[in-house]
Amino acid sequence: MKQHTVAILGATGAVGTQMLQCLDEQDFPVGKLKLLASARSAGKAVEFRGEQVVIEEACPEAFDGCDIVLGAVEDDLAKALLPEAVKRGAVVVDNSHAFRLDPDVPLVVPEINAEDIKWHKGLIANPNCATIIGLVPTWPLHKLAGVKRMVVSTYQAASGAGVPGMRELEEQLAALGRGEQLPDPRAFAAQLANNLIPQIGGVKEEGFTSEEMKLQNEGRKIMHLPELRVNCTCVRVPVLRSHSESITLEFERDITVEEAREALAAAPGVKLVDDMDAVDAQDRYPMPLFTSDQDLIWVGRVRRDISNPEVTRGITFWCCGDQIRKGAATNAVQIAKLLTEE
């Protein structure tokens, strides 16, 4: 198999670090690895497959000779640097929001629309974490009965704010345990420990936040459903890692709970955990504690939407998935691996 020169932009962050691990886990054909980060990280060494790789400062010239670049930086840096990688001949898989809704950039979840990779022009976007986690189990149900509407509540872990978010939650929980006064919040709008924060992202149209609009806007593009309607509420919860979502779907055609369960059990990227009679709670339904540090979206609590006037056309379920892995790094590496198979 051809070996590729691969770069990770933002290699020292939570997602960049996970990308490095995923490259190894997925036996990615890495011939040469370049780790790019800020000037303060340059010069440090990271081990990959038994060798020490020295981190370089991110700049346009650092992309010279790269075949594939994985982006794990904020929007402003992505916009400034990743087009430079494309100019130098690399194909970029970017995890930021910078290019997701650009009509010339494929937005890809491999289990759903891998074919869209074929029309890339050097840039491929990785969707938002909550979008990926929600759509992977929605897709097999859409293929059965045609989704036309989604009502979603997300319960998003501190990992969604990267290393600073996880560190802040850990510090707050530790301070509470010692009976100390908590430091002022930095990563979040308010104290997260022992709390829920019903806002992720800035306020957009009609009182919805930017995070809440992503599921509709990105879902329409990924599933090729321009009329898809989504009502979403995003909540930050005091969980370190792994997002959870409550999803109600309305369909064009009839669908039974049994059909939904069968489709979910057979779907790639999905693990059905749906036995309310199980002795162990871990076997009854998905929980973030057990879905962290793995790549499947666990789905359970599959039931009829009894609020739908057309009762045979509504399904409700609960799902959990690791935000850093399948919600970000794993999905990006899966896309990149598809590029090596073209």
Side-chain angles (χ1 to χ4, degrees):
M1 181 181 291
K2 179 185 175 182
Q3 300 295 294
H4 298 267
T5 298
V6 179
I8 300 177
L9 175 63
T12 58
V15 173
T17 301
Q18 186 65 67
M19 285 174 169
L20 186 65
Q21 183 179 337
C22 289
L23 286 171
D24 191 33
E25 291 173 349
Q26 296 190 33
D27 295 322
F28 199 93
V30 179
K32 180 180 179 182
L33 180 66
K34 302 187 77 172
L35 301 179
L36 310 178
S38 64
R40 67 177 178 272
S41 296
K44 298 177 183 178
V46 175
E47 184 175 336
F48 180 72
R49 295 179 179 170
E51 297 184 6
Q52 296 296 310
V53 181
V54 177
I55 297 171
E56 304 174 44
E57 182 176 359
C59 64
E61 293 73 25
F63 298 115
D64 288 340
C66 290
D67 300 311
I68 296 172
V69 175
L70 302 175
V73 293
E74 298 298 323
D75 291 4
D76 54 349
L77 277 175
K79 290 176 181 177
L81 289 174
L82 293 179
E84 295 294 331
V86 176
K87 288 179 184 178
R88 287 165 167 77
V91 179
V92 171
V93 182
D94 177 39
N95 194 62
S96 81
H97 185 259
F99 307 102
R100 288 177 185 160
L101 300 183
D102 186 323
D104 291 326
V105 177
L107 182 64
V108 176
V109 178
E111 292 87 348
I112 300 174
N113 63 329
E115 289 293 307
D116 286 358
I117 291 172
K118 294 179 179 179
W119 54 267
H120 77 78
K121 300 177 182 177
L123 265 171
I124 301 169
N126 209 37
N128 181 50
C129 51
T131 300
I132 295 172
I133 291 166
L135 292 190
V136 167
T138 294
W139 179 248
L141 302 181
H142 166 69
K143 289 195 293 182
L144 265 183
V147 171
K148 64 178 183 179
R149 179 170 172 260
M150 304 177 67
V151 179
V152 181
S153 292
T154 72
Y155 305 84
Q156 298 182 216
S159 57
V163 171
M166 291 187 286
R167 184 179 296 130
E168 184 164 303
L169 177 58
E170 290 176 322
E171 290 172 354
Q172 290 177 355
L173 292 171
L176 285 171
R178 295 190 298 264
E180 299 174 356
Q181 182 176 349
L182 272 65
D184 291 336
R186 301 176 304 278
F188 304 111
Q191 173 186 322
L192 185 58
N194 290 348
N195 194 25
L196 300 176
I197 304 173
Q199 178 185 353
I200 303 176
V203 178
K204 305 292 280 187
E205 61 260 35
E206 299 186 42
F208 287 85
T209 68
S210 56
E211 185 79 0
E212 289 162 348
M213 294 307 299
K214 288 175 184 176
L215 186 55
Q216 173 170 282
N217 295 335
E218 296 180 17
R220 287 175 170 180
K221 183 174 180 179
I222 294 164
M223 298 201 294
H224 301 170
L225 294 174
E227 303 301 320
L228 178 68
R229 293 176 287 132
V230 180
N231 191 80
C232 185
T233 300
C234 293
V235 183
R236 187 73 70 191
V237 298
V239 169
L240 193 64
R241 184 163 171 161
S242 197
H243 291 354
S244 305
E245 303 186 21
S246 172
I247 300 178
T248 295
L249 303 177
E250 182 178 342
F251 297 94
E252 299 280 357
R253 301 179 295 278
D254 290 353
I255 179 173
T256 68
V257 172
E258 292 71 24
E259 287 172 333
R261 285 200 181 103
E262 289 175 6
L264 290 165
V270 172
K271 178 178 179 178
L272 184 66
V273 181
D274 192 21
D275 182 2
M276 294 291 281
D277 295 322
V279 174
D280 192 330
Q282 182 180 348
D283 299 323
R284 294 178 203 156
Y285 31 65
M287 292 180 280
L289 181 64
F290 302 108
T291 54
S292 296
D293 201 27
Q294 55 84 55
D295 291 327
L296 298 176
I297 309 303
W298 291 25
V299 183
R301 299 298 317 278
V302 182
R303 58 203 189 276
R304 177 69 61 206
D305 172 18
I306 59 174
S307 73
N308 192 319
E310 297 187 73
V311 69
T312 57
R313 297 195 177 185
I315 291 288
T316 294
F317 62 86
W318 170 262
C319 63
C320 298
D322 190 306
Q323 176 271 331
I324 300 176
R325 291 187 64 102
K326 182 55 183 173
T330 298
N331 198 76
V333 174
Q334 287 174 323
I335 293 170
K337 197 163 186 182
L338 290 172
L339 290 169
T340 70
E341 298 168 359
E342 288 185 327

